[in-house]
């Protein structure tokens, strides 16, 4: 297993570079980049920005541009070519595409993710600020999802066809039918001062007086703010995992080795948790890395917007809208790195649950 882990770690960096490279050229060659957006602003959508940048160039000089400039940037007619050059230099587009690419790779090797175009702050600093919010939402919701889904799925498999199975299927149907963001709105209406009760805060991860609270008070305040967003994420995730666990256990229970164990007089609990559990849980473990990464960086986006939580999902979404390339590629770098590491952790967990699995033997 040690050699397999080393090989996977050695492959991690080339895989990461390949993903970054592919996305870099797709995004850079797509229209509507930061220079285009700034030109759109200068042509009448934001007079304040126009006056500031034009003033830095010694006043607006509205002269015709060259044919090259007209075709390169839509809506650039009438702007001073010197102004366009200044904008290109500001965003680093005064250099050829391949130079920008190799500079980015060189910076990433030293973990320098650059500065945000619009916030004028290091991307790594922005990610470090937002990461705790996304991790809090993702980890606590996944913990609740697995805590609820696995016991419920096992119980539904053991009691298949009973009243318990039928009643719990009703809750699962609700989990399938109601998206997390809609359930979040429902919780706000009921418990956050919408139309009924006002028991939970509507924004932020902590209160304004958080630093003045006692250690126990800080913990209580933290979970008080997390209660509604985590509940919204949990309702959207437990249904799929519960049915996956149930079906996996039903499939294993019907196999010959379980019938043989029962025929030998082994009690139901020992058969279930000593024989069936190890095999049935493999498919559940297989989906854990993807599920965690999905919750951390995609599933929480609307929840962060609804509850005004500044997490990585919201940061990346805003960067895409504003074409803030350093943040876009910086968050992609972090997302991909965590995703690849979680995939490796999933493989290691495989071997812990079932030592019969040997990835090194399979590769040879």
């Amino acid at each position: 297993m040690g050699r397999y882990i080393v090989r996977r770690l050695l492959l991690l960096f080339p895989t990461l570079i390949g993903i970054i490279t592919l996305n870099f050229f797709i995004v850079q060659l797509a229209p509507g980049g930061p220079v285009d957006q700034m030109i759109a602003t200068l042509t009448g959508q934001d007079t304040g920005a126009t006056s500031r940048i034009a003033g830095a160039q010694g006043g607006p000089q509205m002269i015709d541009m060259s044919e090259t400039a007209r075709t390169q940037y839509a809506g650039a007619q009438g702007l001073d070519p010197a102004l366009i050059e200044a904008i290109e230099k500001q965003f680093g587009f005064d250099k050829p595409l391949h130079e920008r690419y190799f500079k980015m790779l060189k910076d990433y090797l030293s973990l320098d993710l650059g500065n945000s175009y619009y916030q004028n702050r290091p991307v790594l600093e922005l990610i470090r600020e937002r990461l705790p919010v996304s991790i809090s939402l993702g980890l606590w919701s996944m913990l609740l999802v697995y805590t609820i889904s696995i016991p419920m799925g096992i119980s539904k498999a053991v009691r298949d066809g009973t009243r318990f199975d039928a009643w719990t299927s009703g809750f699962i149907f609700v989990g399938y039918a109601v998206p997390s963001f809609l359930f979040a709105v429902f919780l706000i209406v009921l418990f956050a001062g919408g139309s009924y009760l006002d028991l939970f805060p509507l924004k932020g991860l902590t209160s304004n007086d958080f630093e003045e609270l006692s250690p126990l008070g800080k913990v209580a305040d933290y979970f008080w703010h997390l209660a509604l967003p985590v509940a919204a994420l949990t309702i959207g995730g437990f249904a799929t995992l519960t049915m996956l666990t149930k079906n996996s256990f039903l499939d294993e229970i019907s196999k010959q080795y379980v019938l043989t164990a029962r025929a030998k007089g082994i009690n139901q609990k020992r058969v279930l948790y000593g024989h069936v559990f190890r095999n049935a849980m493999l498919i559940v473990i297989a989906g854990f890395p993807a599920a965690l990464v999905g919750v951390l960086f995609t599933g929480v986006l609307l929840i962060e917007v609804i509850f005004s939580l500044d997490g990585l999902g919201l940061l990346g979404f805003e960067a895409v809208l504003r074409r803030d390339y350093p943040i876009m590629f910086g968050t992609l770098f972090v997302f991909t790195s965590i995703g690849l590491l979680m995939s490796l952790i999933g493989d290691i967990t495989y071997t812990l649950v079932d030592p019969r699995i040997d990835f090194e033997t399979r590769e040879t």
Side-chain angles (χ1 to χ4, degrees), residues 34-47 49-51 53-55 57 59-88:
V35 177
D36 295 283
Q37 290 210 345
M38 182 62 73
I39 289 173
T41 301
L42 293 175
T43 52
Q45 297 182 16
D46 188 345
T47 56
T50 305
S51 60
I53 297 178
Q57 297 293 319
Q61 300 177 28
M62 307 301 289
I63 62 176
D64 291 335
M65 298 183 62
S66 65
E67 186 64 30
T68 302
R70 288 195 186 98
T71 56
Q72 185 177 3
Y73 301 113
Q77 293 86 346
L79 290 179
D80 185 0
L83 180 58
I84 302 298
E85 290 177 5
I87 296 173
E88 288 180 329

Side-chain angles (χ1 to χ4, degrees), residues 247-259:
N247 294 333
S248 180
F249 270 80
L250 282 176
D251 182 59
E252 290 295 323
I253 288 172
S254 63
K255 290 184 177 179
Q256 185 62 42
Y257 76 90
V258 177
L259 301 177

Side-chain angles (χ1 to χ4, degrees), residues 117-138:
Y117 286 159
Y118 300 101
Q119 301 189 46
N120 197 27
R121 293 177 61 193
V123 173
L124 201 57
E125 181 181 315
L126 291 170
I127 291 176
R128 190 164 49 242
E129 284 183 1
R130 305 290 187 98
L131 193 57
V133 176
S134 295
I135 289 179
S136 294
L137 291 174

